[in-house]
Amino acid sequence: MVLPCLNEAESLPGVLALIPDGYRALVVDNNSTDATAEVARRCGAQVVEESRPGYGAAVHAGMVAAATPIVAVLDGDGSMDPRELPKLVDEVDRGADMAVGRRRPLPGARWPWHARLGNQVVCWRLRTKHRIGVHDIAPMRVARRDAVIGLGVADRRSGYPLELLVRAAAAGWVVVEHDIAYGLRTGGKSKVSGSVRGSVVAVLDFWKVIS
């Protein structure tokens, strides 16, 4: 399980404590200025350092470093529950090329309007232009490691998960979507949805991929 992290020392212990039996955590520290790496090691996770900034750079580094044939990717902010991963892994075991989570906010969870709107617009474009039936940009996903690397996703910023879906669609992948619970962050601040500027930058990155 790959967790791309930037300053997630506060939330990581809770996330790592919920990892299902048999799963191995690989935390990619993407230039954190807090104790993310130290906390991850203390909690038993493998740590990979990635100096190139960007979500895509961190995820790619984790995929390359992973030693398992099936790899899950999950944010380290505590907003999603790792115990939901087995149902996605089961889909891949049954033949899906990739299984992704569609966030469903829990009562009291805040999903800023600008992030929610951008997500909806981009996913509409994915469904209409690329014919892939997803409704979220999949911050939780499971796929076979070698197949993901083989897609050749080039984006190293916030556009990575969208380019992954676009390339998966072009390759004819079977992508299965499951609802997952989406709660409050348990620490830190979102680098994308935490501000209007972050959301706009992400949407612009996304639009370049799907235009």
Side-chain angles (χ1 to χ4, degrees), residues 41-153:
R41 291 189 181 97
R42 189 165 63 243
C43 292
Q46 177 186 350
V47 176
V48 171
E49 306 281 351
E50 174 52 57
S51 60
R52 182 175 178 178
Y55 174 83
V59 172
H60 179 71
M63 296 297 296
V64 171
T68 54
I70 294 178
V71 178
V73 177
L74 174 71
D75 288 351
D77 61 9
S79 64
M80 290 166 281
D81 191 335
R83 291 173 296 185
E84 299 211 61
L85 284 171
K87 64 186 178 185
L88 302 184
V89 173
D90 286 346
E91 292 287 0
V92 175
D93 282 337
R94 287 196 292 263
D97 294 294
M98 182 161 58
V100 301
R102 179 183 183 181
R103 289 169 289 184
R104 296 294 196 178
L106 294 169
R110 293 180 63 246
W111 193 351
W113 67 266
H114 44 84
R116 187 169 61 252
L117 177 62
N119 188 69
Q120 290 173 349
V121 169
V122 170
C123 287
W124 169 82
R125 182 73 165 174
L126 273 175
R127 294 193 301 273
T128 57
K129 181 178 180 180
H130 297 280
R131 304 300 178 186
I132 186 166
V134 297
H135 301 79
D136 199 355
I137 306 299
M140 179 189 284
R141 56 191 178 272
V142 174
R144 296 191 180 278
R145 172 189 178 274
D146 291 348
V148 171
I149 293 174
L151 285 178
V153 179

Side-chain angles (χ1 to χ4, degrees), residues 114-115 118 157-159 189-206:
H114 44 84
R157 301 203 318 171
S158 55
K189 181 180 180 181
S190 173
K191 290 76 185 174
V192 175
S193 63
S195 69
V196 174
R197 181 181 183 277
S199 294
V200 169
V201 170
V203 170
L204 289 175
D205 282 350
F206 289 168

